[in-house]
Amino acid sequence: MTPGEHAEAVIESLGISSVEELDVEAIAFDAGVEVVYEQLSGCEATLVGVGDRAIATINPSSYRGRERFSVAHELGHWTLHRGRSFRCRVDAVEDNFSSSTALEKEADTFASHLLMPASLFHEALRGVDRPNFKQLSDVAQRFETSLTATALRLVGVDTLPVIIACYSKAGLRWQAAAKHVPRRWYLKDTVDEDSFAYDLLYEGKECRILGKQSADAWFTNSDADRYEVFEQCVRLRGDEVLVLLYLADSKMLSAGFDPTVGNRKYNEHGSYLAPRGRR
């Protein structure tokens, strides 16, 4: 099973059928993990296990969503990677999302599914056909998760053609796209001056609504100027913005193969073509 399927199986085995029943400490205890809150230095959570019991030590936070994700993340390690000890930086899901550490990404995926199970998340999204950060904030509040984790879960359920990305003044930090968004759409390395994200990042101008934007403000594809997308952005900690792109134009979802964009090349079947000399 995938990490997400493992988490969904836990939810099903416990008979959880409502958001209110998502008591992550109780779920962890049932799995043999005692959760302890203590001040930690250099990390946000640790996991130490012996036999079929473990202790997850979580750095206390004034933000409940951070604590919940930390607990779920450590439970993911216990479920998927038993036999190891971990010291994790799970204070923000985007830290591990941009990490190259496979085990941390797997634990994040487990945590996202555990805190936002597919059936309950779909129910929370009912009626949402053009997503925006206000709606996602409402969903995040209901599940007691961060806005970033909730936005990434929206990408993961793959019901809407959305791309989530994080930019700083230095450029693109990470990105995630719903599976049915063609990989031919290649984001720019830095925010474009015509984008709302640029206005927020450099001028502090808030982007309160999902606004229409020319697609060539975001994508390097030579035909991007033929299309429009909906964009909204919010500021994250420090010098970063979280961007939501909604591809409302169905023609963007059926656009043909574009072999010219970025450093990654894909053939007409969507298969990766390694650069010359690396095959």
Side-chain angles (χ1 to χ4, degrees):
M1 290 193 291
T2 66
E5 289 171 341
H6 273 287
E8 299 281 351
V10 170
I11 297 299
E12 183 177 357
S13 68
L14 294 174
I16 292 174
S17 59
S18 70
V19 176
E20 292 70 28
E21 295 174 330
L22 291 171
D23 184 334
V24 68
E25 286 87 359
I27 294 172
F29 185 81
D30 185 79
V33 178
E34 180 184 355
V35 177
V36 177
Y37 289 93
E38 292 182 0
Q39 291 291 336
L40 297 172
S41 177
C43 65
E44 288 297 317
T46 65
L47 178 71
V48 178
V50 177
D52 61 352
R53 306 295 298 178
I55 296 177
T57 304
I58 310 298
N59 207 14
S61 172
S62 59
Y63 175 49
R64 179 57 178 158
R66 178 177 297 179
E67 293 179 341
R68 282 171 55 78
F69 197 89
S70 293
V71 174
H73 180 99
E74 298 311 312
L75 181 55
H77 280 315
W78 178 245
T79 303
L80 304 170
H81 315 130
R82 192 168 301 191
R84 307 188 187 195
S85 296
F86 291 90
R87 290 174 59 85
C88 302
R89 282 193 62 207
V90 289
D91 54 323
V93 61
E94 59 267 23
D95 286 339
N96 289 332
F97 186 81
S98 60
S99 169
S100 61
T101 305
L103 299 187
E104 297 305 316
K105 290 184 177 181
E106 289 178 359
D108 274 352
T109 299
F110 180 96
S112 293
H113 281 256
L114 189 79
L115 298 176
M116 295 169 280
S119 60
L120 299 181
F121 196 75
H122 283 301
E123 181 182 341
L125 290 176
R126 187 175 300 169
V128 176
D129 58 357
R130 185 172 293 179
N132 58 59
F133 280 127
K134 172 60 170 65
Q135 293 168 327
L136 291 180
S137 293
D138 291 342
V139 174
Q141 184 175 6
R142 182 179 178 190
F143 283 88
E144 293 188 282
T145 51
S146 72
L147 179 60
T148 300
T150 306
L152 288 172
R153 190 71 178 104
L154 173 66
V155 167
V157 297
D158 194 30
T159 56
L160 295 168
V162 295
I163 297 173
I164 299 294
C166 177
Y167 280 87
S168 69
K169 291 182 179 179
L172 178 64
R173 282 205 62 216
W174 54 261
Q175 61 178 303
K179 287 184 178 180
H180 74 283
V181 172
R183 286 179 290 178
R184 62 104 67 190
W185 293 112
Y186 196 85
L187 286 176
K188 293 184 175 181
D189 291 331
T190 58
V191 291
D192 191 281
E193 292 184 3
D194 291 331
S195 69
F196 303 136
Y198 183 94
D199 294 339
L200 177 59
L201 193 58
Y202 288 92
E203 301 174 10
K205 185 178 179 181
E206 293 186 9
C207 185
R208 297 182 181 277
I209 63 172
L210 193 69
K212 190 173 289 188
Q213 182 70 269
S214 175
D216 65 353
W218 282 103
F219 300 104
T220 63
N221 307 74
S222 59
D223 60 346
D225 60 351
R226 303 178 190 173
Y227 306 96
E228 290 181 328
V229 298
F230 285 88
E231 173 198 344
Q232 191 179 14
C233 52
V234 294
R235 186 176 291 281
L236 295 177
R237 52 190 184 159
D239 180 29
E240 295 177 356
V241 293
L242 185 66
V243 179
L244 167 64
L245 298 176
Y246 176 61
L247 280 59
D249 190 340
S250 61
K251 292 180 181 178
M252 291 187 72
L253 304 180
S254 58
F257 168 60
D258 184 353
T260 65
V261 292
N263 298 320
R264 300 174 298 177
K265 308 297 182 187
Y266 295 88
N267 63 22
E268 62 274 17
H269 304 295
S271 301
Y272 176 73
L273 300 178
R276 290 186 178 181
R278 295 186 184 179
R279 296 191 182 190

